[in-house]
Amino acid sequence: SVSVGYTWFYFFNGFFGDGIGQDYAHEAFLSTTIPLGPLNLSAMYAYDFYISASYAQVGLDTEIKVTDWLSIVPAAVVGYGIDGYYTFGTAGSAWNHVGLNVSFPITLSKTATLTPYVAANFSLDGREDLNTIEGADEVFGGVSLTVSF
């Protein structure tokens, strides 16, 4: 499958934390997913309008059905920043992260899914110097609501 979309991010405490940095970012993306047996191979290219730079990401995931309405989805990705994507002078284009994620999609209706998740992000060369402000690696979580029509 192929997807085109738009994502808006709001940083409650600023991009760098403690109220420092921008409050938001927004980007357009193009992604594709290719099933490989029980695994899904994904690829994405995104352009960030706030900083006028882009990134690419490839990953693998699999879905473990628990019930008709609940699944567990472990995933792993690696990202590459292009033309200074949040590298701030540490690198023009470079590998910037490895991400591990476990999400729990909950089907609310035929068109809506609520997805809590827990994730870990490990910085690579393109982000390591920048991310050492608060540490190069981070564990976080959240919830997304997806509605299709």
Side-chain angles (χ1 to χ4, degrees), residues 7-27:
T7 304
W8 185 79
F9 301 94
Y10 182 76
F11 306 113
F12 290 100
N13 197 19
F15 182 76
F16 294 106
D18 295 328
I20 301 169
Q22 78 256 25
D23 293 332
Y24 73 95
H26 58 117
E27 61 191 35

Side-chain angles (χ1 to χ4, degrees), residues 79-137:
Y80 188 79
I82 302 164
D83 295 330
Y85 178 81
Y86 288 110
T87 56
F88 300 104
T90 60
S93 296
W95 294 104
N96 56 16
H97 74 280
V98 169
L100 302 176
N101 181 310
V102 179
S103 61
F104 306 91
I106 301 166
T107 302
L108 302 175
S109 71
K110 289 181 182 178
T111 60
T113 304
L114 183 69
T115 307
Y117 66 91
V118 176
N121 188 64
F122 303 97
S123 296
L124 299 177
D125 290 345
R127 297 277 303 176
E128 195 165 285
D129 291 340
L130 174 67
N131 285 355
T132 56
I133 294 168
E134 292 187 16
D137 306 324

Side-chain angles (χ1 to χ4, degrees), residues 61-75 101-109 112-118 142-146:
D61 71 58
T62 191
E63 180 180 24
I64 303 163
K65 284 291 241 185
V66 177
T67 68
D68 288 344
W69 55 270
L70 175 66
S71 296
I72 301 171
V73 181
N101 181 310
V102 179
S103 61
F104 306 91
I106 301 166
T107 302
L108 302 175
S109 71
T113 304
L114 183 69
T115 307
Y117 66 91
V118 176
V143 178
S144 70
L145 175 63
T146 304

